[in-house]
Amino acid sequence: MSPIRVAIAGATGDLGRRVVRKFLSPEYNPSQVAEVKFFTRNVNSAASQEVIALGVKAVDTGINVESLRGVDVLVSVLGGSTKLEDRNAYAKAAADAGVKVYIPTEFGIDHRKMPFPHPIWDLKQAHDKYARSLSPGKLKVVSLYVGLFLDDTFSLGPTLGLDTLGGVYTGVLSPDTPVSFLSRDDIASSVARIAVLAAADPTSVPDYAPISGSSVSYRELAQLVSQARGQDITVATLGEEEAQKAIKAGDFWVALRYTVGYGLADLSKDNVNETINPKQSLWKWKSVKEYVDETKGVAPAEQRASA
């Protein structure tokens, strides 16, 4: 197959820049990837200029049929605030332009079995259904589920129930349910690999692609951090009734932690790891233990404060 042409929406964000760099890396460019371009509203912004400096073409005419002509793969790394109508319009433009593969902005839990409605995941499900209805058999849609971002584990800390400095980790429903973590660099590597595979053969990658870099429960995470810090971490549980009350009051983070306790973030058993990175022959997944050893269970700012 000839090298593919890739377009990226959301390339100026942290994850987006990592995806760009991976497509431009020697393992892909130019042998497997001929061109990478990205969409921006302002080519003169500092963020856009940073991406342009990597050797990527900037497109400021919008995501539409004309700007997507000749593109093989459209990757969306847009933020969660992107409206449903905009997501749908981008997918429709991709289908109409003859794009072969569309990777929508997912990169979270497998929300297909949500135990309760929620605006964020309802929107993702609505977009997923729409995108797959556009051009069956022609536009391959691949949704990546990665569990939780490994890099954000301790930056988000208490909002995830992980209060290292306070010495308490609180799981929702159960602290013993495994949760999968994936680093941003591993996400970028996965996106590039899936894009190349799916463009060459749509049947080589499933429509839904769970990926598990490393899986541990809150209790196991507490043990790892305790060992790294020489500090006891108490494990607690937020029960069903209290969690549901918080969710109904609009607490997104409790809702996310509920899905973790419910098992929707455990991608350790059913995933595409071996399909895209057999026996870790292409790259090594970053483990939770490696991240704990690096961070000692706290965000960079907290590391500086305690130094």
Side-chain angles (χ1 to χ4, degrees):
M1 178 182 170
S2 300
I4 63 174
R5 299 183 181 278
V6 179
I8 301 175
T12 57
D14 179 72
L15 179 57
R17 291 194 300 273
R18 293 172 195 253
V19 170
V20 168
R21 291 190 186 100
K22 181 52 64 174
F23 275 120
L24 292 177
S25 66
E27 63 192 287
Y28 288 106
N29 178 258
S31 61
Q32 299 181 75
V33 177
E35 179 187 60
V36 180
K37 63 182 180 181
F38 77 104
F39 300 100
T40 179
R41 291 188 177 91
N42 182 5
V43 294
N44 296 315
S45 70
S48 292
Q49 286 298 311
E50 182 178 345
V51 178
I52 292 171
L54 296 174
V56 185
K57 177 184 177 182
V59 178
D60 62 356
T61 56
I63 305 174
N64 51 52
V65 174
E66 190 57 37
S67 63
L68 287 171
R69 289 197 190 284
V71 168
D72 297 297
V73 179
L74 171 62
V75 177
S76 176
V77 205
L78 293 167
S81 62
T82 307
K83 296 178 180 179
L84 176 60
E85 52 265 36
D86 291 332
R87 299 180 192 219
N88 288 351
Y90 304 153
K92 178 69 162 57
D96 291 346
V99 171
K100 298 176 182 177
V101 180
Y102 171 48
I103 300 177
T105 181
E106 282 282 356
F107 314 115
I109 65 163
D110 184 348
H111 51 71
R112 291 174 293 168
K113 298 178 181 179
M114 281 291 294
F116 53 82
H118 192 281
I120 290 177
W121 294 302
D122 290 348
L123 181 151
K124 287 189 173 187
Q125 290 173 18
H127 176 59
D128 180 84
K129 182 178 180 180
Y130 176 79
R132 294 179 190 282
S133 73
L134 289 170
S135 188
K138 294 182 179 179
L139 176 65
K140 172 75 172 183
V141 181
V142 185
S143 296
L144 277 66
Y145 301 130
V146 304
L148 302 184
F149 278 33
L150 181 60
D151 317 67
D152 292 344
T153 305
F154 300 121
S155 296
L156 293 174
T159 59
L160 291 176
L162 305 173
D163 185 0
T164 299
L165 298 183
V168 180
Y169 283 10
T170 305
V172 174
L173 300 184
S174 170
D176 296 306
T177 304
V179 51
S180 293
F181 295 86
L182 199 65
S183 73
R184 283 187 172 87
D185 283 339
D186 285 339
I187 293 173
S189 295
S190 300
V191 167
R193 179 65 174 156
I194 285 173
V196 169
L197 287 174
D201 177 6
T203 66
S204 65
V205 179
D207 292 345
Y208 298 97
I211 304 166
S212 180
S214 183
S215 292
V216 298
S217 67
Y218 269 41
R219 191 180 305 279
E220 291 168 332
L221 182 58
Q223 292 171 349
L224 289 173
V225 174
S226 293
Q227 292 168 4
R229 295 180 63 81
Q231 166 196 343
D232 289 337
I233 303 289
T234 300
V235 178
T237 303
L238 185 69
E240 173 84 32
E241 184 176 348
E242 194 173 354
Q244 286 289 356
K245 182 178 179 181
I247 292 169
K248 289 177 181 176
D251 191 326
F252 167 75
W253 295 107
V254 172
L256 177 61
R257 289 160 58 198
Y258 189 104
T259 68
V260 169
Y262 195 75
L264 298 187
D266 179 14
L267 311 174
S268 60
K269 296 182 178 65
D270 183 14
N271 56 59
V272 299
N273 286 26
E274 287 303 303
T275 299
I276 65 175
N277 186 20
K279 300 186 185 303
Q280 300 189 66
S281 59
L282 300 179
W283 72 90
K284 184 178 182 297
W285 305 108
K286 186 169 185 176
S287 72
V288 172
K289 186 180 186 308
E290 288 174 313
Y291 182 65
V292 168
D293 288 343
E294 289 176 6
T295 62
K296 299 299 184 289
V298 296
E302 293 173 332
Q303 292 176 30
R304 290 192 295 270
S306 61

